[in-house]
Amino acid sequence: MNRIQSLFEQKENKVLSFYCTAGYPRLQDTLPVLTALQAAGADMIEIGIPFSDPLADGPVIQESSAVALANGMNLQELFRQLKDVREQVSVPLILMGYLNPLLQYGVSRFCRDAAACGIDGLIIPDLPLEEYRREWQHAMEAYGLNMIFLVTPFTPQERLREIDECSSGFLYMVTTAGTTGGSIGPDEATKRYFSFIKEQRLNRPVMAGFGIRDKPGFDQACAYVNGAIVGSGLIRVLQQYPDKGEIVIRDFVHSFF
Amino acid sequence: MNFTIDENGYYGHYGGAYIPEILRTNIVALKQQFLALRDDPDFNAAYDRLLRDYVGRPSPLYYAPRLSERYGATIYLKREDLNHTGSHKINNTIGQVLLARHMGKRHILAETGAGQHGVATATVAALMEMQCTVFMGETDIARQQPNVEKMRLLGATVVPVTSGSKTLKDAANEAIRYWIHYPADTHYVIGSVIGPDPYPDMVAHFQSVISSEIRQQLLSEEGVACPHAVIACVGGGSNAAGAFYHFLEEEQVQLIGVEAAGKGVDSGHTAATIATGSAGVIHGSKTLLMQDSDGQIKEPYSISAGLDYPGIGPLHAHLHETGRASFLQATDEEALQAAFLLMRMEGIIPAIESAHALAALEKLSFSNTGPVVVCLSGRGDKDMDAYIRAAPASFKNHQL
């Protein structure tokens, strides 16, 4: 059982996960941000691998990716930084990255090096199920990495079931049509979608993401699913206070309690 | 050798649909609709009628006597520049907007580099009463201003894109992001043979009218359906795909694509994807692209906004890999010289994109061969600033 499964065994609701961009705001901030998030009470962390053309991201994460790339972040550097991360961080860690940089690094090599650092799972937003099966499933299973797929309000029920079968760890429920950095409202459509997902009684735990920016949004999501992922909101505070990471991270995480 | 797409949307190793899950439903529906309508008599009758009465097709296949004499060859120009809106782009736009209307979509998105695809899309959107939003990089807005004004006059909203290099790649990124926000009632009209399956196949299909006409016209002019060679410029590669399409299985026909070398293939300021790229995934498709060793997409450069793209359609990557087509590169300077030559020898001001195809005539020898067809994909109105800036002094001082 890996750390993701252990987490959901111990905690079925109000699982609070954060997204941070590797090498942001400064190249060497990756590890301090992870330790600060864990110390503040984050249950799980997604580490974003910066990419030049992040299609599913809104302006905040786009900007953080551009800064991280300018800082010199790449996969070699990231794996160097994460080499001993498990000496300091025990919460589940997930790498989130677009496909092309991972392909250039090599599918099998990427899975091997991620697993060696103690990474638990991957999110690859532009890797569809079909290509995952052809090119990724074998290597990921061999290295014990969970694959976390996204499901959206436009995913048909039949495909939702199929994705649920193929996912390991949890399902990433995209709350609303849009890129990252929007916000969910208490509107009827959002409620209907949350209810629909809850009624499906899926095999995997479900984490809501995209548009969860504060406690009301988090609580709303937790009324239906196991927890939520906060991304752009954290990047925004790091952008504003790049030199006070530890304090602003603590305050930001605590604002969800 | 098979040059048609397989059931998963691959040409050999290239193609596929690498898209965020939220767009999958749209892509699947689009593919179903396209496959259902591509051979539908009513759909094709409507499409053909618009191409004839609205676009002005068939476009002439013009024998260029002075160019032929200069190069010692039989050179024909496929005059896509004479289409309504001034380029081949409208062939695809009409097809896709008709499809979108069948699907009940009301809002059309497009990316544009030179503005040719944006103008074609804004035009057809006006014709078919659709809302139209065009994404265009700030750099391109500055260098193709007349087309920006045309799109606005036609009722489109032009959204300036400020991310990345502020050119075609970034405009496509932003169009995809917008589509992610409004997937239900919106259709994204991709302007080239790029993007996730079914786009490369669909755009090539709608552009294939170019080679279909070349065959008929050449038969009546020369008594043969197949030329010795077909030459076309390649950014994403839609006019080349259309000009090659009906010759892919005719192995005796040389297919020649011409990429934009910018300031030189090895200068670091280039858009020559075949010459400098490697396999990867961009805009939803596995293909050749310009990237660094970390897999970050490189910013391309070309004087031509329409060729200023770091990828290439998966069909062309496959044609390159199999050797069925060959790809040359022409620099900014070579393209400009070819454009000036066409102006003075044939009285035609070509688009700077199409001038790259003409530049290949300097690099190849066609003496004692059959006819050579160059696809003149667009006209040069939009490039007047660049031409005036670069024109030799002797061009500017012809006063009586």
Side-chain angles (χ1 to χ4, degrees):
Chain A
M1 193 186 306
N2 83 8
R3 292 177 198 87
I4 298 173
Q5 280 126 31
S6 308
L7 169 64
F8 287 103
E9 293 247 317
Q10 289 156 20
K11 190 168 181 178
E12 287 190 356
N13 200 310
K14 296 239 165 191
V15 175
L16 180 57
S17 180
F18 289 88
Y19 167 95
C20 59
T21 301
Y24 183 83
R26 288 161 307 206
L27 182 62
Q28 298 302 332
D29 283 337
T30 316
L31 217 48
V33 168
L34 297 181
T35 52
L37 280 168
Q38 172 172 282
D43 293 314
M44 182 160 62
I45 306 170
E46 252 181 71
I47 305 164
I49 300 163
F51 179 48
S52 55
D53 295 79
L55 281 182
D57 284 304
V60 173
I61 293 179
Q62 281 178 48
E63 171 66 19
S64 72
S65 292
V67 170
L69 288 174
N71 288 345
M73 180 47 74
N74 60 28
L75 281 171
Q76 282 91 338
E77 173 63 22
L78 179 59
F79 288 135
R80 250 195 315 273
Q81 293 184 0
L82 294 181
K83 193 167 144 283
D84 300 317
V85 67
R86 285 305 177 194
E87 291 172 10
Q88 296 175 61
V89 180
S90 58
V91 299
L93 293 176
I94 293 160
L95 289 183
M96 182 268 171
Y98 290 86
L99 188 52
N100 199 53
L102 314 188
L103 286 179
Q104 300 317 310
Y105 195 82
V107 172
S108 174
R109 178 179 170 220
F110 176 78
C111 292
R112 181 197 69 194
D113 290 357
C117 294
I119 296 297
D120 303 292
L122 305 181
I123 299 173
I124 309 174
D126 53 350
L127 180 68
L129 191 58
E130 294 68 24
E131 308 298 343
Y132 161 74
R133 286 190 180 126
R134 286 184 353 174
E135 297 170 0
W136 284 80
Q137 188 168 10
H138 181 74
M140 286 185 57
E141 287 175 359
Y143 288 105
L145 292 167
N146 282 182
M147 182 65 183
I148 293 122
F149 282 105
L150 276 61
V151 297
T152 80
F154 294 87
T155 306
Q157 191 169 17
E158 196 179 318
R159 186 168 171 84
L160 178 66
R161 297 248 162 246
E162 196 184 357
I163 290 175
D164 185 36
E165 286 299 317
C166 289
S167 291
S168 37
F170 62 91
L171 279 184
Y172 191 133
M173 173 198 179
V174 176
T175 56
T176 177
T179 49
T180 56
S183 67
I184 56 165
D187 56 282
E188 282 308 309
T190 307
K191 279 186 195 157
R192 256 201 315 278
Y193 177 46
F194 270 113
S195 301
F196 167 77
I197 291 290
K198 186 178 181 181
E199 285 159 12
Q200 297 306 305
R201 305 193 174 282
L202 298 163
N203 295 322
R204 310 291 162 218
V206 177
M207 294 287 283
F210 286 44
I212 312 290
R213 51 167 63 194
D214 51 20
K215 182 168 162 53
F218 179 61
D219 290 344
Q220 185 191 348
C222 292
Y224 300 90
V225 298
N226 303 77
I229 301 161
V230 181
S232 300
L234 176 67
I235 301 295
R236 244 179 243 118
V237 299
L238 289 174
Q239 193 174 33
Q240 268 180 299
Y241 305 101
D243 299 321
K244 297 182 181 152
E246 203 178 328
I247 299 163
V248 297
I249 286 170
R250 189 191 61 207
D251 291 350
F252 186 69
V253 172
H254 288 179
S255 73
F256 287 83
F257 294 158
Chain B
M1 193 62 70
N2 193 356
F3 298 105
T4 52
I5 210 153
D6 73 14
E7 60 184 315
N8 297 314
Y10 281 85
Y11 300 95
H13 300 118
Y14 301 110
Y18 297 84
I19 40 159
E21 182 65 27
I22 200 158
L23 292 177
R24 189 184 157 82
T25 304
N26 274 22
I27 295 285
V28 168
L30 180 63
K31 185 168 177 172
Q32 282 168 351
Q33 192 74 26
F34 169 61
L35 293 178
L37 290 179
R38 69 182 291 167
D39 297 316
D40 180 82
D42 292 339
F43 179 84
N44 284 324
Y47 176 64
D48 291 345
R49 198 176 314 118
L50 283 167
L51 287 190
R52 186 190 67 202
D53 299 339
Y54 190 69
V55 177
R57 301 204 73 93
S59 67
L61 184 70
Y62 164 70
Y63 172 69
R66 295 186 64 201
L67 271 195
S68 295
E69 191 184 347
R70 178 184 169 95
Y71 292 111
T74 306
I75 295 172
Y76 283 89
L77 302 178
K78 181 59 175 163
R79 297 293 306 275
E80 294 298 304
D81 60 317
L82 294 176
N83 292 340
H84 181 41
T85 73
S87 80
H88 70 291
K89 291 292 187 188
I90 197 161
N91 304 331
N92 165 52
T93 310
I94 286 184
Q96 281 200 46
V97 179
L98 275 176
L99 249 175
R101 198 164 68 173
H102 264 271
M103 297 175 75
K105 305 283 183 180
R106 290 206 292 269
H107 186 178
I108 295 298
L109 306 180
E111 85 294 337
T112 197
Q116 296 300 84
H117 175 57
V119 169
T121 307
T123 298
V124 179
L127 176 71
M128 299 194 194
E129 283 189 86
M130 301 269 220
Q131 191 189 337
C132 180
T133 306
V134 180
F135 296 85
M136 188 168 186
E138 266 191 346
T139 306
D140 292 338
I141 286 180
R143 61 179 163 171
Q144 309 277 211
Q145 194 60 35
N147 275 343
V148 177
E149 298 307 332
K150 280 185 198 167
M151 287 184 266
R152 289 183 172 145
L153 287 171
L154 289 161
T157 304
V158 180
V159 179
V161 174
T162 56
S163 54
S165 58
K166 307 177 178 65
T167 60
L168 182 53
K169 162 183 82 94
D170 313 288
N173 286 343
E174 226 40 67
I176 292 171
R177 288 189 187 112
Y178 188 94
W179 202 22
I180 288 173
H181 278 91
Y182 305 99
D185 66 341
T186 306
H187 174 67
Y188 175 22
V189 180
I190 296 185
S192 194
V193 287
I194 61 165
D197 177 50
Y199 280 101
D201 186 37
M202 179 170 65
V203 177
H205 170 77
F206 287 132
Q207 292 294 358
S208 69
V209 63
I210 300 174
S211 49
S212 161
E213 288 177 3
I214 292 173
R215 287 187 77 104
Q216 290 169 22
Q217 292 165 323
L218 211 54
L219 194 60
S220 75
E221 288 294 311
E222 295 273 337
V224 292
C226 289
H228 173 75
V230 180
I231 305 175
C233 65
V234 181
S238 69
N239 92 85
F244 294 171
Y245 200 89
H246 289 287
F247 301 114
L248 288 171
E249 309 293 334
E250 311 270 11
E251 301 219 347
Q252 75 276 22
V253 180
Q254 284 186 24
L255 305 177
I256 299 161
V258 186
E259 302 189 288
K263 294 178 179 167
V265 168
D266 301 319
S267 67
H269 301 279
T270 184
T273 303
I274 296 256
T276 65
S278 55
V281 169
I282 184 171
H283 293 144
S285 138
K286 185 173 277 184
T287 187
L288 295 172
L289 60 112
M290 292 165 48
Q291 56 187 326
D292 68 15
S293 57
D294 294 328
Q296 307 296 341
I297 313 288
K298 281 191 189 169
E299 305 293 355
Y301 164 80
S302 166
I303 188 174
S304 148
L307 305 181
D308 200 351
Y309 183 70
I312 190 166
L315 168 63
H316 295 298
H318 180 56
L319 292 175
H320 170 67
E321 189 171 283
T322 58
R324 176 64 192 93
S326 48
F327 292 86
L328 307 179
Q329 290 77 32
T331 62
D332 291 357
E333 188 53 35
E334 289 167 336
L336 285 167
Q337 291 313 316
F340 294 137
L341 193 74
L342 192 73
M343 291 174 203
R344 289 301 170 103
M345 297 196 79
E346 299 287 351
I348 298 170
I349 300 179
I352 189 71
E353 288 76 21
S354 322
H356 285 72
L358 294 164
L361 294 170
E362 289 284 338
K363 299 165 186 270
L364 297 164
S365 170
F366 295 114
S367 50
N368 302 316
T369 71
V372 172
V373 176
V374 181
C375 189
L376 199 66
S377 56
R379 60 177 173 244
D381 312 30
K382 66 186 181 57
D383 299 309
M384 290 313 293
D385 282 351
Y387 288 148
I388 291 164
R389 259 199 313 276
S394 62
F395 273 41
K396 295 172 182 165
N397 299 322
H398 278 218
Q399 291 169 353
L400 289 172

